[in-house]
Amino acid sequence: MSQVFLGMPAHSSPGVGALRGDQTFPQAARTALADPQLRRNLGHATGTIRAKRLAVVSELDDWEQLRLAGQAIKAATMARLDDHLARLEQEVTARGGTVHWARDAVEANRIITELVQATGADEVVKVKSMVTQEIGLNEALEQAGIAAWETDLAELIVQLGHDTPSHILVPAIHRNRSEIREIFLREMPGVDPDLTDEPRRLAMAARSHLRRKFLSAKVAVSGANFAVAETGTLVVVESEGNGRMCLTLPDTLITVMGIEKLVPTWTDLEVFLQLLPRSSTGERMNPYTSMWTGVSPGDGPQDFHLVLLDNGRTAVLADEVGREALHCIRCSACLNVCPVYERAGGHAYGSVYPGPIGAVLTPQLTGVEQNASLPYASTLCGACFDACPVRIDIPSILVHLRARHVEEYAAEHRLPSAESLAMGAAAWVMSSARRFGFVTRTARLGRVLGRRRGRIRSLPPPASAWTATRDVPLPPTETFREWWLRTRGES
Amino acid sequence: MSTPPSARDEILARIRTSLGDRTSTVEIPRDYHRTGGSPVGSPELLELLTDRLVDYKATVHRATPADFAAVLASVLESAGRVVVPAGLPDGWAPPAAVVDDGSLSWAELDAVDTVLTSCTAAAAETGTIVLDGSPDQGRRAVTLIPDRHICVVRADQVVRGVPELLGRLDPRRPLTFISGPSATSDIELQRVEGVHGPRKLIVVLVSD
Ligand code: SF4
């Protein structure tokens, strides 16, 4: 008889969904870096969106106050996450909705598949949901004989191109207009053969392709940008109107949401509805925001289900430093300012969550050892922190996760890695003033190893393992201790 | 044998384990602008709203209570077949308009060209109009399927920013925030207006 231990935080379902790539980041990035078209597409797109974001952010003279409020609201949400979730459940249920809880991807996929089967439908329309990519919902539905139609233009491009998303906000950012035209001509039944690559023509082709689907769909699956605990209100922010179509026209609506996407009060939305559109699309407000609470008689789906998903989030919550990654509102500003993302692109991260936020969130959801290269996919330049509307200190979490990886690796293999050897040596040296003085003086010998720009590019083994992926700054010609002795006289 | 714990109980228990002891409370600094300074419906707010709507490719017509009927009639002239919600104020709907009593099918709504409604509130700073499903605004499908949306906004519904806007709304109603016509930037970040939602948004702004 097995005893189930209740309440042990667990990582995401292994082998299901899109949190693990087939390659490490350095391997995948090398492929991306060799693709000049991809780099041009990425450079153009991130540059454009950075400029737009900057323009609308500078319109608000209280932007910093909004960021501070957003950060505090998210911290307050996490500190009482259990209470807020229970409240949300109570409010949604009281207004005619049904709440389901899913420990992991497998359980969520099973719940959703059964809900769709219960309606008798063999297809669903889908809107804007990273979390359903995270859990591999489309594949699970397909196995049950249910077709899932992505309706967001970018996700349609990705789906028709048999491709994977590469950006949180613009999943097809790696494709240019002529590539999109080719995909549409090849994959869209009944498309006008004279379709040009003009963005307007391409968008209109998508409109007519999906129109019938929207008007006849019986079931929709959506994500959520926010949920308000005290009122039970769900929020979807979008641009094209495909969200409104999915949220309004079908009889049944199934919304899947990570347990972290809550805000406690209605008032809190006033902060996030300012932070999100300006940070993501660089607009003052996105064209459409839909909010609904349970079921509204005579208006919209009369059968509403909310699936609350853990899939590793409680494990993230257990790390006091790392849990800040759960504050993310998926605006993608950190991707657009990241020099590593701009060159490597989203696919290199091997996860539905790319860029700086992916580098801190993905390894925590899966367990660091399963995505060990991601915390190193950064130069720690700090641009992501400056851009983040909720002030997530991504560089500090990266450093923290690197340390965690080193410790967990050492504990598992009972072998010190080069990094932990170096850390151990540093601790031994720094614990004694005499040793420290000796070492800093001899370290200056390292200067002769320096090649250019004051960096040491390689050190002899075992420290070569460290310098294989990074440069070490040159030691100064005079140490601080020597300077102190020289300028302050005898000690 | 004990029954296995429900997913709900287990997730809530995991959260409690992960959080451990909770002693501190988080103070939320709300020193961002919660009110805009300008009185509701003041001329500078109406100017700002117009500017922002036009910037996002909506069309704006200004009217006074005296010439409202004439302005609306001229806007409706080229509107084709019109559908209106059942609770629209008397005299707004053109004589041939279809009235939505809640029974029109999606195909029937797809066959009309234009929907005419009022609104619940508007925010000038972001060019946002909110519909809440009241009788003069109708159910959500009515303002979604037709290709053109004509929306009447009264000056006393116009506030400055998002905080004041949310303060006027009832979260338990189905809410739609509209900031310009439907748009996408998914192809090379180039903005294209009009994808799935109404491709034209026409606002009639009424003030003294
Ligand atoms: S980490 Fe911050 S900047 Fe990056 S996507 Fe999340 S909220 Fe946006």
Side-chain angles (χ1 to χ4, degrees), chain A residues 425-444 475-476 478-482 484-485:
Chain A
W428 179 78
V429 166
M430 287 176 196
S431 62
S432 148
R434 192 177 48 82
R435 282 200 290 261
F436 187 67
F438 173 76
V439 169
T440 47
R441 269 175 276 119
T442 48
R444 257 176 298 154
E478 186 179 37
T479 67
F480 174 77
R481 287 163 55 85
E482 287 170 333
W484 182 267
L485 278 175

Side-chain angles (χ1 to χ4, degrees), chain B residues 10 35 61 67 70 72 74 97 108 117 126 132 141 146 155 163 184 186 190 192-193:
Chain B
E10 176 146 9
T35 53
H61 298 269
D67 67 6
L72 187 60
S74 79
E108 285 168 308
T117 69
T126 56
D132 77 349
T184 184
D186 281 345
Q190 187 171 320
V192 174
E193 273 80 25

Side-chain angles (χ1 to χ4, degrees), chain A residues 168 327-335 357 384 387-390 392 394:
Chain A
I168 293 179
H327 296 187
C328 174
I329 58 172
R330 311 273 188 269
C331 72
S332 72
C334 59
L335 277 61
I357 182 60
C384 49
C388 179
V390 288
I392 299 175
I394 296 175

Side-chain angles (χ1 to χ4, degrees), chain A residues 328-350:
Chain A
C328 174
I329 58 172
R330 311 273 188 269
C331 72
S332 72
C334 59
L335 277 61
N336 301 326
V337 299
C338 178
V340 176
Y341 177 88
E342 184 172 348
R343 285 162 186 81
H347 289 147
Y349 295 80

